[in-house]
Amino acid sequence: MNGGRPYSRLFRYVDFGTSANALLRNCGVRDIPSMAEIVQQVISDPELVLDKVGNEATYIALLKEIAVNFDSIPKALRSSMLNNRFCLASRRARPSFARLSRFNRYGQPVYAFLSCFLSLEPRSLI
């Protein structure tokens, strides 16, 4: 269920069967999380989210999905996005410097999280 979505590993999905799932939908349970719930997860602990999604390509796909659905994110949450570092940063190194990559004690690459948005006003995105 929802296995192909970038956020599928952030939330637990349980299939209770056709009739029970129909009852849960009637009670207000959703099949997929809202964009606000996804953004809240990402800005609260970006390192944990990166770990849960498994790789930087999936994390970037998640950030792209947030960007596409930006208008559906509540204004208060958009404001908090300004103050949190959650965008993945990378730097392209020249081939001779490629061996200077930083790794943590487990041999995994170290990532930097940056604030993505300088301004949330649409006119500033020109």
Side-chain angles (χ1 to χ4, degrees):
M1 179 185 245
N2 296 314
R5 305 304 298 253
Y7 54 79
S8 64
R9 294 174 129 185
L10 295 179
F11 300 92
R12 292 190 179 160
Y13 296 95
V14 180
D15 187 358
F16 291 104
T18 307
S19 58
N21 287 343
L23 173 70
L24 289 171
R25 275 190 215 97
N26 288 334
C27 294
V29 176
R30 295 182 312 272
D31 289 334
I32 59 173
S34 69
M35 190 51 59
E37 291 169 329
I38 294 169
V39 170
Q40 188 61 48
Q41 285 270 340
V42 171
I43 65 174
S44 66
D45 195 349
E47 292 179 29
L48 178 65
V49 171
L50 176 60
D51 186 49
K52 283 184 175 181
V53 298
N55 59 51
E56 59 274 358
T58 306
Y59 188 84
I60 291 169
L62 181 62
L63 293 179
K64 286 179 183 179
E65 190 157 335
I66 291 170
V68 167
N69 295 292
F70 190 73
D71 291 337
S72 69
I73 300 169
K75 207 171 210 175
L77 195 52
R78 283 191 247 168
S79 295
S80 68
M81 289 169 74
L82 284 170
N83 300 319
N84 290 286
R85 296 173 182 250
F86 64 93
C87 291
L88 191 61
S90 65
R91 183 186 329 175
R92 293 183 189 247
R94 286 183 255 160
S96 61
F97 296 122
R99 68 183 186 282
L100 298 177
S101 298
R102 291 185 48 193
F103 295 91
N104 66 14
R105 62 182 173 186
Y106 304 110
Q108 300 166 329
V110 175
Y111 299 102
F113 292 94
L114 306 174
S115 297
C116 290
F117 304 101
L118 299 177
S119 172
L120 298 175
E121 298 297 321
R123 64 181 171 275
S124 68
L125 299 176
I126 299 174

